[in-house]
């Protein structure tokens, strides 16, 4: 397990730590959130959220120097990702 991301909201002090056995993490920034309202009334404005998705590198099958992503019949794919949430003052 390696630390791959740490985020902190400076206003509230909320934190999120992500550790994983995966070699990479994909970051989505909320660029396309369009002001849609959720069923509980929250408005999803542009950049009001982000996502961190642990995975292999996106172009792994085409890059021989990247970790192998081939899963053959009978093989097992297993990885671990742990999200830890907290509050810092």
């Amino acid at each position: 397990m390696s630390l791959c991301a740490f985020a902190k909201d400076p206003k509230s002090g909320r934190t999120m730590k992500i550790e994983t056995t995966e070699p990479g993490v994909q970051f989505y920034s909320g660029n396309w959130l369009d002001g849609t309202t959720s069923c509980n009334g929250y408005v999803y404005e542009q950049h009001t959220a982000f996502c961190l998705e642990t995975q292999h590198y996106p172009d792994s099958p085409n890059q021989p120097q990247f970790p192998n992503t081939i899963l053959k019949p009978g093989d097992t794919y297993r990885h671990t990702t742990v999200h830890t949430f907290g509050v810092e003052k």
Side-chain angles (χ1 to χ4, degrees), residues 1-88:
M1 297 278 288
S2 297
L3 177 66
C4 75
F6 180 83
K8 179 179 177 181
D9 175 32
K11 185 174 181 180
S12 69
R14 288 178 295 185
T15 62
M16 177 176 66
K17 178 173 75 168
I18 302 175
E19 297 170 286
T20 187
T21 57
E22 290 285 34
V25 63
Q26 192 76 291
F27 173 76
Y28 300 96
S29 64
N31 283 346
W32 294 278
L33 295 175
D34 61 2
T36 300
T37 302
S38 71
C39 62
N40 64 359
Y42 183 80
V43 179
Y44 293 100
E45 307 257 347
Q46 187 177 41
H47 302 129
T48 58
F50 66 93
C51 175
L52 295 165
E53 178 183 325
T54 61
Q55 58 183 244
H56 276 265
Y57 306 131
D59 198 30
S60 286
N62 302 309
Q63 303 298 328
Q65 70 274 21
F66 286 1
N68 185 357
T69 57
I70 297 172
L71 186 66
K72 296 178 182 174
D75 286 353
T76 300
Y77 171 72
R78 182 174 287 128
H79 73 89
T80 302
T81 298
V82 175
H83 294 78
T84 305
F85 298 92
V87 177
E88 290 182 359

